[in-house]
Amino acid sequence: MNILVTGGRGYIGSHACKLLARAGHKVVCIDDESYGRADVSAYAECHRISTRDSDKLTALLRDKSIDAVMHFAAYIFVGESVEKPDLYYENNVAGTLSLLAAMKAAEVKKIIFSSTCATYAELKNPEPLTELHAQDPISPYGRSKLMCEQIMRDYCATLGFSAVIFRYFNASGADPENEFGEDHVPETHLVPLAIRAALENRPDFVVNGSDFATADGTAVRDYIHVSDIARAHVLGIGFAFKNPGFHAFNLGNNRGYSILEVLKGIESVCGKKINFRFGPRREGDAAMLVGDNALARRLLGWSPELPDLSMILETAVAWEKRRKAQP
Ligand SMILES: NC(=O)c1ccc[n+]([C@@H]2O[C@H](COP(=O)([O-])OP(=O)(O)OC[C@H]3O[C@@H](n4cnc5c(N)ncnc54)[C@H](O)[C@@H]3O)[C@@H](O)[C@H]2O)c1
């Protein structure tokens, strides 16, 4: 099929471009290059276009006979979204509306959308979250993603769209062939930051919170390999064609690791100690966030191929070494 990938030069989108091309699809990537820098030209035809440019998108969708859209493009920094909510609603929500308008005009009605576990309401118990857990995000970033989900639900109900929504838990790791990896600027995610702390002998890595109600007092998260997320997207296309309407799936590993367990894993892969100290909790951080992935297993036939934390960390460390060596 002909697949349009938005945000295909970013962390997760680049992995998806590669796996889509490997699966035999023709991939067209649009990215405004506000953040993404991955060179996906071996896997996709690339255009520098914003999701907000509806007219250009309509022309592209028609010209390339696009069958389905995979929508990764968004701003992703939770903290920044608190400071600049207008920017997040404009880019993430208005950008999605503009993309959907182009799709409607070009009669392309299948969309696979990157959502997040940050749309879920705070957890009251440590059980893995199912897709039925209440949604009540606490940041403008999370709300922008939930708004997009709700808009797509309505497009499915009345405009004949099919939407497959993937709510990722903590996307981590890197392409096992070490071609792509995590490269956010600024980087805010635990795994790459802790790897840099280890490799560069940084003096004061801060672990936020040591008094959570977890076994070792640090926050527990569900780390899911980026290539497993990308594979789910490839499966999502077939699902969207066979199953009209709105379908949401968690993409997680069904198990959580504490921050201290992640740091220990990184120390073991790098063969170096991380000099860390405890800082205060960040506002809104839940003690435990783990996703139940049974629905994606059952309906998509998806299961993580790289579920072990050690595999996730090994690929992430290999990528970080390559990234550092690049000019
Ligand atoms: N990284 C995670 O752990 C995680 C977790 C849950 C959900 N997500 C979602 O997954 C998606 C991809 O995240 P990522 O980590 O790859 O982020 P990323 O910043 O690496 O990639 C996003 C890409 O979108 C592009 N972009 C942003 N706004 C655009 C616009 N208006 N038009 C065109 N291109 C635009 C950026 O240049 C970038 O290349 C996002 O929608 C994010 O909300 C990510």
Side-chain angles (χ1 to χ4, degrees):
M1 285 193 213
N2 299 329
I3 310 294
L4 181 83
V5 175
T6 76
R9 299 195 61 185
Y11 172 43
I12 305 171
S14 56
H15 290 77
C17 287
K18 180 170 181 173
L19 294 197
L20 282 167
R22 288 259 170 100
H25 297 292
K26 184 169 179 294
V27 186
V28 178
C29 159
I30 66 126
D31 197 302
D32 68 358
E33 296 170 23
S34 50
Y35 286 102
R37 289 180 288 172
D39 179 3
V40 293
S41 56
Y43 305 107
E45 176 188 311
C46 296
H47 298 264
R48 186 174 183 170
I49 301 179
S50 166
T51 51
R52 284 173 281 182
D53 195 336
S54 208
D55 291 344
K56 271 196 193 154
L57 286 176
T58 307
L60 192 71
L61 289 164
R62 286 190 178 130
D63 185 42
K64 302 294 170 190
S65 305
I66 296 297
D67 298 298
V69 174
M70 226 165 249
H71 182 30
F72 296 95
Y75 291 159
I76 64 158
F77 301 112
V78 173
E80 185 184 56
S81 80
V82 175
E83 305 291 319
K84 299 174 185 170
D86 50 340
L87 193 68
Y88 276 70
Y89 293 126
E90 171 62 32
N91 194 57
N92 296 0
V93 181
T96 296
L97 273 172
S98 150
L99 171 69
L100 290 169
M103 290 174 66
K104 183 168 171 258
E107 294 186 49
V108 178
K109 297 199 168 177
K110 310 282 185 274
I111 186 161
I112 323 290
F113 176 62
S114 304
S115 190
T116 166
C117 64
T119 60
Y120 286 123
E122 199 187 329
L123 265 186
K124 299 287 180 222
N125 62 51
E127 294 304 305
L129 283 166
T130 72
E131 291 79 359
L132 297 176
H133 190 82
Q135 287 178 286
D136 186 13
I138 56 169
S139 71
Y141 164 72
R143 280 191 282 277
S144 76
K145 289 282 161 177
L146 180 56
M147 285 175 195
C148 292
E149 284 197 18
Q150 289 166 333
I151 290 166
M152 287 179 201
R153 194 186 284 276
D154 289 337
Y155 272 59
C156 290
T158 51
L159 298 175
F161 273 65
S162 299
V164 173
I165 309 298
F166 286 125
R167 297 180 189 142
Y168 315 156
F169 282 70
N170 285 45
S172 322
D175 173 28
E177 295 171 346
N178 210 15
E179 190 176 2
F180 301 121
E182 194 159 8
D183 196 7
H184 299 116
V185 181
E187 190 54 79
T188 56
H189 292 147
L190 172 72
V191 170
L193 287 176
I195 292 172
R196 288 173 205 178
L199 294 179
E200 295 164 16
N201 300 311
R202 291 189 185 175
D204 62 342
F205 184 81
V206 179
V207 173
N208 296 110
S210 55
D211 57 351
F212 288 103
T214 59
D216 65 19
T218 63
V220 168
R221 295 289 178 270
D222 185 343
Y223 297 88
I224 174 83
H225 197 283
V226 62
S227 297
D228 282 326
I229 291 180
R231 275 189 317 97
H233 282 69
V234 178
L235 294 169
I237 301 170
F239 187 87
F241 274 89
K242 285 194 207 108
N243 299 276
F246 179 94
H247 304 273
F249 298 98
N250 285 341
L251 294 181
N253 259 318
N254 274 4
R255 94 155 270 191
Y257 291 92
S258 73
I259 294 180
L260 292 186
E261 286 174 314
V262 173
L263 297 191
K264 220 167 166 192
I266 291 172
E267 288 179 337
S268 144
V269 177
C270 294
K272 287 180 154 207
K273 280 266 165 234
I274 297 173
N275 302 306
F276 71 86
R277 65 181 167 82
F278 289 112
R281 288 185 193 194
R282 285 178 311 195
E283 206 181 319
D285 263 357
M288 199 173 293
L289 212 44
V290 177
D292 181 324
N293 65 19
L295 195 67
R297 285 177 183 267
R298 188 159 52 82
L299 296 186
L300 289 173
W302 170 84
S303 60
E305 286 181 1
L306 299 161
D308 294 339
L309 184 64
S310 59
M311 276 302 295
I312 292 175
L313 298 179
E314 277 165 30
T315 56
V317 169
W319 166 256
E320 188 58 33
K321 287 181 177 166
R322 180 181 165 182
R323 199 190 66 83
K324 260 169 66 100
Q326 277 169 353

